Amino acid sequence: MFHALSIAQFDVDTTFQLIRRAEALRAMPRHEARALLAGDIVATLFYEPSTRTRLSFEAAVYRLGGQVVSAENARENSSSKKGESLADVFRVVGCYADAIVIRHHSAEELDAAAPFSPVPVINAGAGSGEHPTQALLDAYTIWRELGRLSDLTVAVLGDLKYGRTVHSLLRLLAKMDGIRIRLFHPEPLGLPPELAAEMRDSGIPIEIAEDLEDAVRGADIVYQTRIQAERLQAEHELCATDDYAIRRSHLAVLPEHARILHPLPRVGEIDPAIDPDDRAAYFRQAENGLYMRMALLDHMLRGELG
Ligand code: CP
């Protein structure tokens, strides 16, 4: 793999190899890990806001002994503001860094420009398209919490139209055995038609839940997401979100072994009162992102896998 732009590039074997490598890197003494990318420089270019993805990627580089050059708020603060094309940005930044981690507002622009980069490009979230490294860390979290990535009922909630984490996660889950998907979303924010068709073609069973309680009842994994308010395009999409908040009352219909995930940030769709419950796994999920991104960088820059 040269660039990592879509979760479609990650088959089941590679996903499990990355999970094993993430576990190994988690257990590795820090001084040993620091030798792995010693001398390497990774550029992080973020054209959209981020807390977890940017900081976990940058922490991952430092934990592996590499160094980071960064453009935060790159839409305003880099020469993209002057009209420089993304292809030229890649051509130039590729002279300074050994890999480029980028979050961009346009999936199409990112896909078109990546071939011009002389160094590997990692998609750290592209518009309302994909967020492949989030799906890898989500898979890692499910595996770590439940011990498997097969034979699971997964309830996916919230903004399925613009939520790029959902797009990548569903595509990855569709490759696993025995996955059953339940969806619950505000009426105008269902899956994009091409993804819905992809899921139908994959043969994975998908049901649409009547309400939130119906969605989470008996699920193994509940994957809650934020309504992407900044991406809503039409008046009818500006829907009430109250019906989509997971509250303590929902825990009564959720099995003890189940886990609640959320890519974060959350803005009201999970009541903080449930945070102390063992089933609330979203902060552990955010931590897992560090180790999965260490594994991915190690794989892409050194060819290492578990
Ligand atoms: N999950 C995620 O992508 O979070 P950030 O937007 O904070 O990077």
Side-chain angles (χ1 to χ4, degrees), residues 49-54 103 131 134 164-165 263-265:
S50 169
T51 297
R52 276 144 295 274
T53 311
R54 186 170 71 86
R103 172 166 290 184
H131 194 345
Q134 178 72 44
R164 57 196 173 201
T165 68
L264 302 177

Side-chain angles (χ1 to χ4, degrees), residues 17 72 144 150-151 210 230 288:
Q17 284 170 337
E72 196 200 352
R144 227 170 178 261
S150 56
D151 188 25
E210 298 272 316
E230 69 277 26
N288 292 338

Side-chain angles (χ1 to χ4, degrees), residues 46 48-56 103 124-125 131 133-134 137-138 164-165 223 226 262-265 285-286 293:
F46 276 68
E48 285 191 339
S50 169
T51 297
R52 276 144 295 274
T53 311
R54 186 170 71 86
L55 297 182
S56 64
R103 172 166 290 184
H131 194 345
T133 69
Q134 178 72 44
L137 78 88
D138 294 342
R164 57 196 173 201
T165 68
Y223 194 89
R226 173 178 73 89
H262 191 309
L264 302 177
Q285 179 186 2
R293 288 173 174 135

Side-chain angles (χ1 to χ4, degrees), residues 1-32:
M1 181 193 315
F2 193 61
H3 305 306
L5 299 176
S6 166
I7 199 67
Q9 296 169 255
F10 294 84
D11 60 18
V12 173
D13 280 353
T14 308
T15 302
F16 277 103
Q17 284 170 337
L18 286 168
I19 287 172
R20 282 197 292 274
R21 188 65 181 153
E23 280 292 276
L25 290 167
R26 186 189 283 263
M28 189 177 284
R30 284 196 182 187
H31 70 275
E32 274 183 39

